[in-house]
Amino acid sequence: MTRAPAAALPPAILLMGPTASGKTALALEVAQRFPVEIISVDSAQVYRGMDVGTAKPSAAERAAVPHHLIDVIDPDHSYSAAQFRADAIRLIGEIAARGRVALLAGGTMLYFKALREGLSTLPQADAAVRAAIEAEAGEKGWPALHAELARIDPAAAARIKSTDAQRIQRALEVFRVTGKPLSALQGARAADAPLCRFLPLALVPGERAALHRRIELRFEAMLAAGLVEELAALRGRYALHPGLPSMRCVGYRQAWEHLEGAYDRATLRDRGVYATRQLAKRQLTWLRAMQEPKVFDCFAPDLAAQVLHYLEEQGLQT
Protein backbone atom coordinates (compact mmCIF):
# COMPACT_ATOMS: atom_id res chain seq x y z
CA MET A 1 0.00 0.00 0.00
CA THR A 2 1.30 3.47 -0.89
CA ARG A 3 1.16 5.74 2.12
CA ALA A 4 0.09 9.35 1.73
CA PRO A 5 2.64 11.94 2.87
CA ALA A 6 1.81 13.31 6.33
CA ALA A 7 1.09 16.80 5.01
CA ALA A 8 -1.60 15.41 2.69
CA LEU A 9 -3.48 13.64 5.49
CA PRO A 10 -6.43 15.33 7.20
CA PRO A 11 -5.58 16.79 10.63
CA ALA A 12 -6.95 15.48 13.91
CA ILE A 13 -6.40 17.41 17.15
CA LEU A 14 -5.48 15.46 20.28
CA LEU A 15 -6.32 17.55 23.36
CA MET A 16 -4.80 15.74 26.34
CA GLY A 17 -4.47 16.68 29.97
CA PRO A 18 -5.08 15.62 33.56
CA THR A 19 -8.49 15.77 35.15
CA ALA A 20 -9.68 19.32 35.93
CA SER A 21 -7.20 20.92 33.51
CA GLY A 22 -9.94 22.60 31.48
CA LYS A 23 -10.07 20.33 28.42
CA THR A 24 -13.82 20.63 27.89
CA ALA A 25 -13.85 24.42 28.07
CA LEU A 26 -10.88 24.69 25.71
CA ALA A 27 -12.42 22.23 23.23
CA LEU A 28 -15.52 24.41 23.08
CA GLU A 29 -13.35 27.49 22.49
CA VAL A 30 -11.63 25.71 19.59
CA ALA A 31 -15.04 24.77 18.20
CA GLN A 32 -16.00 28.45 18.02
CA ARG A 33 -13.07 29.12 15.67
CA PHE A 34 -12.65 25.90 13.67
CA PRO A 35 -15.15 23.41 12.16
CA VAL A 36 -14.53 20.60 14.63
CA GLU A 37 -16.48 17.68 16.01
CA ILE A 38 -15.45 16.48 19.45
CA ILE A 39 -14.64 12.85 20.21
CA SER A 40 -14.54 12.11 23.94
CA VAL A 41 -11.43 10.23 25.04
CA ASP A 42 -12.76 9.32 28.46
CA SER A 43 -13.26 5.78 29.76
CA ALA A 44 -15.97 6.97 32.17
CA GLN A 45 -18.03 9.25 29.93
CA VAL A 46 -18.92 6.28 27.71
CA TYR A 47 -21.35 5.07 30.41
CA ARG A 48 -24.99 6.13 30.31
CA GLY A 49 -26.33 7.63 33.50
CA MET A 50 -22.90 8.42 34.93
CA ASP A 51 -23.13 12.16 34.43
CA VAL A 52 -22.26 13.96 37.66
CA GLY A 53 -19.08 12.09 38.52
CA THR A 54 -17.64 12.13 34.99
CA ALA A 55 -18.02 15.87 34.36
CA LYS A 56 -19.76 15.23 31.05
CA PRO A 57 -20.36 18.24 28.81
CA SER A 58 -23.78 19.73 29.49
CA ALA A 59 -26.75 19.19 27.20
CA ALA A 60 -26.33 22.74 25.92
CA GLU A 61 -22.63 22.22 25.17
CA ARG A 62 -23.36 18.97 23.35
CA ALA A 63 -26.10 20.66 21.35
CA ALA A 64 -23.75 23.49 20.32
CA VAL A 65 -20.98 21.19 19.01
CA PRO A 66 -21.30 17.57 17.80
CA HIS A 67 -19.93 15.19 20.44
CA HIS A 68 -19.13 11.50 20.03
CA LEU A 69 -18.42 8.50 22.31
CA ILE A 70 -20.48 9.83 25.19
CA ASP A 71 -23.31 7.67 26.59
CA VAL A 72 -22.59 4.68 24.35
CA ILE A 73 -23.04 1.76 26.80
CA ASP A 74 -24.79 0.97 30.08
CA PRO A 75 -22.65 0.87 33.25
CA ASP A 76 -23.11 -2.89 33.67
CA HIS A 77 -21.07 -3.43 30.46
CA SER A 78 -17.39 -2.91 29.61
CA TYR A 79 -15.66 -0.76 27.03
CA SER A 80 -12.06 -1.43 26.03
CA ALA A 81 -9.16 0.45 24.50
CA ALA A 82 -9.58 -1.74 21.42
CA GLN A 83 -13.23 -0.70 21.10
CA PHE A 84 -12.25 2.94 21.52
CA ARG A 85 -9.59 2.68 18.84
CA ALA A 86 -11.98 1.11 16.35
CA ASP A 87 -14.68 3.69 17.11
CA ALA A 88 -12.27 6.63 16.98
CA ILE A 89 -10.75 5.55 13.66
CA ARG A 90 -14.23 5.20 12.15
CA LEU A 91 -15.33 8.59 13.51
CA ILE A 92 -12.18 10.41 12.38
CA GLY A 93 -12.82 9.18 8.85
CA GLU A 94 -16.50 10.13 8.93
CA ILE A 95 -15.76 13.59 10.32
CA ALA A 96 -13.07 14.21 7.68
CA ALA A 97 -15.52 13.10 4.97
CA ARG A 98 -17.88 15.83 6.16
CA GLY A 99 -15.11 18.40 5.65
CA ARG A 100 -14.64 18.87 9.39
CA VAL A 101 -11.82 18.21 11.85
CA ALA A 102 -11.88 15.62 14.63
CA LEU A 103 -10.93 17.02 18.03
CA LEU A 104 -10.22 14.16 20.43
CA ALA A 105 -10.36 15.51 23.98
CA GLY A 106 -9.99 13.69 27.27
CA GLY A 107 -7.78 12.25 29.94
CA THR A 108 -7.73 8.49 29.29
CA MET A 109 -4.14 8.33 28.16
CA LEU A 110 -4.24 4.62 27.34
CA TYR A 111 -6.85 5.42 24.67
CA PHE A 112 -4.64 8.08 23.12
CA LYS A 113 -1.71 5.64 23.13
CA ALA A 114 -3.82 2.90 21.54
CA LEU A 115 -5.00 5.27 18.81
CA ARG A 116 -1.53 6.52 17.90
CA GLU A 117 0.55 3.39 18.38
CA GLY A 118 -1.86 0.52 17.81
CA LEU A 119 -2.66 -2.31 20.18
CA SER A 120 -0.93 -5.46 21.23
CA THR A 121 -2.19 -8.48 19.31
CA LEU A 122 -4.03 -9.97 22.28
CA PRO A 123 -7.05 -12.29 22.21
CA GLN A 124 -10.59 -11.01 22.63
CA ALA A 125 -12.25 -11.36 26.02
CA ASP A 126 -13.51 -14.87 26.77
CA ALA A 127 -16.61 -14.73 29.00
CA ALA A 128 -16.31 -18.33 30.19
CA VAL A 129 -12.65 -17.98 31.16
CA ARG A 130 -13.33 -14.68 32.93
CA ALA A 131 -16.21 -16.21 34.87
CA ALA A 132 -13.98 -19.08 35.99
CA ILE A 133 -11.30 -16.63 37.16
CA GLU A 134 -13.91 -14.56 39.01
CA ALA A 135 -15.14 -17.72 40.77
CA GLU A 136 -11.58 -18.64 41.79
CA ALA A 137 -11.03 -15.14 43.11
CA GLY A 138 -14.18 -15.45 45.18
CA GLU A 139 -12.80 -18.60 46.79
CA LYS A 140 -9.10 -17.76 47.12
CA GLY A 141 -8.86 -13.97 46.86
CA TRP A 142 -7.07 -11.89 44.21
CA PRO A 143 -3.68 -12.01 46.00
CA ALA A 144 -3.68 -15.79 45.55
CA LEU A 145 -4.39 -15.41 41.85
CA HIS A 146 -1.62 -12.81 41.68
CA ALA A 147 0.72 -15.43 43.11
CA GLU A 148 -0.39 -17.82 40.35
CA LEU A 149 0.32 -15.11 37.79
CA ALA A 150 3.79 -14.63 39.28
CA ARG A 151 4.55 -18.28 38.56
CA ILE A 152 3.44 -18.22 34.92
CA ASP A 153 4.32 -14.64 33.99
CA PRO A 154 6.75 -13.02 36.46
CA ALA A 155 7.22 -9.95 34.25
CA ALA A 156 3.50 -9.15 34.18
CA ALA A 157 3.07 -9.89 37.88
CA ALA A 158 5.87 -7.47 38.73
CA ARG A 159 3.92 -4.66 37.05
CA ILE A 160 0.52 -5.55 38.53
CA LYS A 161 -0.47 -4.97 42.16
CA SER A 162 -1.82 -7.97 44.04
CA THR A 163 -5.09 -6.07 44.56
CA ASP A 164 -5.59 -5.01 40.92
CA ALA A 165 -8.37 -7.45 40.08
CA GLN A 166 -8.98 -6.22 36.54
CA ARG A 167 -5.38 -6.55 35.37
CA ILE A 168 -4.77 -9.85 37.17
CA GLN A 169 -7.88 -11.28 35.55
CA ARG A 170 -6.85 -10.12 32.09
CA ALA A 171 -3.31 -11.48 32.41
CA LEU A 172 -4.56 -14.90 33.56
CA GLU A 173 -7.23 -14.89 30.86
CA VAL A 174 -4.65 -14.25 28.13
CA PHE A 175 -2.47 -17.09 29.40
CA ARG A 176 -5.35 -19.55 29.65
CA VAL A 177 -6.68 -18.67 26.19
CA THR A 178 -3.34 -18.59 24.33
CA GLY A 179 -0.96 -20.60 26.49
CA LYS A 180 1.45 -17.67 26.27
CA PRO A 181 2.26 -15.07 28.95
CA LEU A 182 0.80 -11.60 28.54
CA SER A 183 4.25 -10.00 28.74
CA ALA A 184 5.39 -12.01 25.69
CA LEU A 185 2.44 -10.85 23.59
CA GLN A 186 2.31 -7.19 24.51
CA GLY A 187 5.29 -6.21 22.39
CA ALA A 188 3.65 -7.23 19.10
CA ARG A 189 1.46 -4.43 17.81
CA ALA A 190 -0.72 -4.24 14.74
CA ALA A 191 0.61 -1.69 12.26
CA ASP A 192 -1.84 0.42 10.27
CA ALA A 193 -1.34 3.04 7.60
CA PRO A 194 -1.78 6.49 9.17
CA LEU A 195 -5.30 7.79 8.71
CA CYS A 196 -4.66 11.40 9.69
CA ARG A 197 -2.07 13.92 10.80
CA PHE A 198 -2.23 14.06 14.58
CA LEU A 199 -1.76 17.43 16.30
CA PRO A 200 -1.12 16.48 19.95
CA LEU A 201 -1.67 19.22 22.54
CA ALA A 202 -0.95 18.71 26.25
CA LEU A 203 -2.45 20.83 29.02
CA VAL A 204 -0.01 20.75 31.93
CA PRO A 205 -0.35 22.80 35.13
CA GLY A 206 2.43 25.32 35.65
CA GLU A 207 1.61 25.08 39.34
CA ARG A 208 0.61 21.63 40.64
CA ALA A 209 -0.95 23.10 43.79
CA ALA A 210 -3.38 25.12 41.67
CA LEU A 211 -4.55 21.92 39.96
CA HIS A 212 -5.02 20.30 43.37
CA ARG A 213 -7.20 23.20 44.50
CA ARG A 214 -9.29 22.92 41.34
CA ILE A 215 -9.68 19.17 41.86
CA GLU A 216 -10.83 19.74 45.43
CA LEU A 217 -13.44 22.31 44.40
CA ARG A 218 -14.68 20.17 41.54
CA PHE A 219 -15.16 17.05 43.64
CA GLU A 220 -17.02 19.05 46.26
CA ALA A 221 -19.23 20.41 43.47
CA MET A 222 -19.92 16.86 42.27
CA LEU A 223 -21.03 15.85 45.75
CA ALA A 224 -23.27 18.90 45.96
CA ALA A 225 -24.71 18.08 42.51
CA GLY A 226 -25.74 14.60 43.65
CA LEU A 227 -22.96 12.12 42.91
CA VAL A 228 -24.02 9.78 45.73
CA GLU A 229 -27.69 10.02 44.77
CA GLU A 230 -26.84 9.36 41.11
CA LEU A 231 -24.97 6.19 42.05
CA ALA A 232 -27.78 5.03 44.33
CA ALA A 233 -30.23 5.40 41.43
CA LEU A 234 -27.90 3.49 39.08
CA ARG A 235 -27.61 0.65 41.61
CA GLY A 236 -31.38 0.39 41.59
CA ARG A 237 -31.55 0.35 37.79
CA TYR A 238 -28.69 -1.98 36.86
CA ALA A 239 -27.09 -5.15 38.26
CA LEU A 240 -23.93 -3.40 39.34
CA HIS A 241 -21.07 -4.65 41.49
CA PRO A 242 -17.82 -2.98 42.60
CA GLY A 243 -15.68 -5.05 40.23
CA LEU A 244 -17.18 -3.51 37.09
CA PRO A 245 -14.97 -1.04 35.19
CA SER A 246 -17.67 1.63 35.55
CA MET A 247 -17.74 1.25 39.31
CA ARG A 248 -13.95 1.40 39.56
CA CYS A 249 -14.00 4.94 38.14
CA VAL A 250 -12.64 7.57 40.51
CA GLY A 251 -15.45 9.07 42.53
CA TYR A 252 -17.87 6.22 41.92
CA ARG A 253 -15.65 3.74 43.75
CA GLN A 254 -15.53 6.00 46.80
CA ALA A 255 -19.28 6.76 46.58
CA TRP A 256 -19.97 3.00 46.41
CA GLU A 257 -17.98 2.40 49.59
CA HIS A 258 -19.85 5.26 51.28
CA LEU A 259 -23.21 3.75 50.31
CA GLU A 260 -22.03 0.42 51.71
CA GLY A 261 -21.40 2.15 55.04
CA ALA A 262 -17.61 2.00 54.93
CA TYR A 263 -17.27 5.67 55.89
CA ASP A 264 -19.20 8.91 56.29
CA ARG A 265 -19.70 11.73 53.80
CA ALA A 266 -16.76 13.79 55.09
CA THR A 267 -14.44 10.82 54.56
CA LEU A 268 -15.97 10.27 51.14
CA ARG A 269 -15.04 13.83 50.25
CA ASP A 270 -11.45 13.38 51.44
CA ARG A 271 -10.97 10.02 49.75
CA GLY A 272 -12.52 11.24 46.51
CA VAL A 273 -10.23 14.27 46.40
CA TYR A 274 -7.17 12.13 47.15
CA ALA A 275 -8.07 9.55 44.49
CA THR A 276 -8.63 12.29 41.91
CA ARG A 277 -5.25 13.84 42.70
CA GLN A 278 -3.62 10.44 42.25
CA LEU A 279 -5.40 10.05 38.92
CA ALA A 280 -4.06 13.43 37.80
CA LYS A 281 -0.56 12.38 38.84
CA ARG A 282 -0.80 9.21 36.72
CA GLN A 283 -2.16 11.18 33.76
CA LEU A 284 0.77 13.62 33.94
CA THR A 285 3.20 10.68 34.04
CA TRP A 286 1.60 9.34 30.83
CA LEU A 287 1.83 12.78 29.23
CA ARG A 288 5.54 13.02 29.92
CA ALA A 289 6.02 9.76 28.00
CA MET A 290 3.93 10.90 25.02
CA GLN A 291 5.52 11.64 21.66
CA GLU A 292 6.37 15.34 21.52
CA PRO A 293 3.04 17.01 22.26
CA LYS A 294 2.82 20.80 22.11
CA VAL A 295 2.63 21.74 25.81
CA PHE A 296 0.49 24.57 27.19
CA ASP A 297 0.08 25.76 30.78
CA CYS A 298 -3.55 25.03 31.58
CA PHE A 299 -3.62 28.04 33.93
CA ALA A 300 -2.27 30.56 31.40
CA PRO A 301 -4.73 33.48 31.20
CA ASP A 302 -4.42 33.51 27.40
CA LEU A 303 -4.54 29.72 26.98
CA ALA A 304 -7.28 29.74 24.36
CA ALA A 305 -5.53 32.41 22.29
CA GLN A 306 -2.26 30.45 22.40
CA VAL A 307 -3.92 27.23 21.27
CA LEU A 308 -5.92 28.89 18.49
CA HIS A 309 -2.80 30.60 17.17
CA TYR A 310 -0.88 27.31 17.21
CA LEU A 311 -3.63 25.51 15.31
CA GLU A 312 -3.69 28.25 12.69
CA GLU A 313 0.07 27.81 12.31
CA GLN A 314 -0.54 24.10 11.72
CA GLY A 315 -2.75 24.92 8.77
CA LEU A 316 -6.26 24.60 10.21
CA GLN A 317 -8.83 26.58 8.29
CA THR A 318 -11.66 28.49 9.93
Side-chain angles (χ1 to χ4, degrees):
M1 180 189 302
T2 301
R3 295 192 173 192
L9 294 169
I13 305 164
L14 306 182
L15 179 54
M16 306 174 287
T19 185
S21 59
K23 298 180 294 294
T24 296
L26 180 57
L28 293 170
E29 291 262 15
V30 172
Q32 291 182 16
R33 174 74 64 85
F34 299 106
V36 304
E37 295 187 25
I38 298 172
I39 300 174
S40 171
V41 188
D42 190 302
S43 61
Q45 291 186 358
V46 296
Y47 295 111
R48 299 186 188 101
M50 292 173 54
D51 303 329
V52 176
T54 63
K56 283 178 185 171
S58 68
E61 290 167 339
R62 291 164 68 177
V65 183
H67 283 71
H68 305 276
L69 299 189
I70 294 176
D71 293 340
V72 296
I73 58 170
D74 291 333
D76 55 349
H77 289 71
S78 298
Y79 188 82
S80 67
Q83 288 172 285
F84 167 80
R85 186 171 193 270
D87 286 340
I89 288 172
R90 171 180 55 81
L91 286 165
I92 290 170
E94 291 173 357
I95 292 167
R98 290 192 284 271
R100 302 174 69 81
V101 176
L103 193 169
L104 296 96
T108 302
M109 301 304 166
L110 175 61
Y111 286 7
F112 282 115
K113 182 179 177 65
L115 177 63
R116 297 183 71 186
E117 300 179 15
L119 287 162
S120 301
T121 53
L122 299 177
Q124 295 293 314
D126 186 306
V129 172
R130 288 195 169 193
I133 295 170
E134 287 273 6
E136 290 176 37
E139 294 176 7
K140 306 175 186 176
W142 287 108
L145 292 189
H146 184 269
E148 177 187 336
L149 178 63
R151 290 192 296 272
I152 61 176
D153 190 352
R159 297 194 304 267
I160 300 173
K161 293 181 180 179
S162 62
T163 54
D164 192 336
Q166 183 180 18
R167 295 180 69 198
I168 295 169
Q169 182 188 55
R170 179 56 173 159
L172 288 174
E173 176 192 26
V174 168
F175 182 79
R176 294 183 186 185
V177 169
T178 68
K180 298 177 182 178
L182 174 67
S183 58
L185 295 174
Q186 283 180 320
R189 296 183 178 272
D192 296 324
L195 72 159
C196 59
R197 174 171 57 98
F198 289 124
L199 302 177
L201 317 179
L203 300 186
V204 175
E207 182 188 352
R208 189 74 64 92
L211 182 66
H212 288 175
R213 287 194 295 272
R214 187 182 281 181
I215 286 171
E216 184 175 347
L217 292 171
R218 190 166 80 157
F219 193 75
E220 290 172 350
M222 287 177 178
L223 289 176
L227 171 60
V228 173
E229 294 75 14
E230 178 181 77
L231 177 57
L234 289 170
R235 288 180 12 149
R237 193 181 315 150
Y238 300 99
L240 302 178
H241 60 82
L244 286 167
S246 61
M247 294 299 102
R248 288 197 294 268
C249 292
V250 168
Y252 289 92
R253 179 186 303 200
Q254 290 73 32
W256 183 288
E257 292 169 350
H258 168 67
L259 285 172
E260 292 293 300
Y263 39 73
D264 61 17
R265 195 174 178 93
T267 305
L268 162 60
R269 179 263 181 207
D270 292 343
R271 292 199 175 193
V273 168
Y274 176 78
T276 310
R277 287 181 177 180
Q278 292 301 109
L279 170 62
K281 182 179 179 181
R282 292 193 299 273
Q283 290 168 319
L284 288 167
T285 298
W286 274 89
L287 275 176
R288 285 194 291 271
M290 288 284 183
Q291 299 173 13
E292 300 178 352
K294 177 67 174 178
V295 177
F296 298 89
D297 183 348
C298 64
F299 292 107
D302 61 341
L303 171 63
Q306 288 184 40
V307 170
L308 294 173
H309 177 68
Y310 173 75
L311 292 174
E312 286 177 347
E313 288 184 329
Q314 301 308 302
L316 263 68
Q317 303 295 316
T318 57

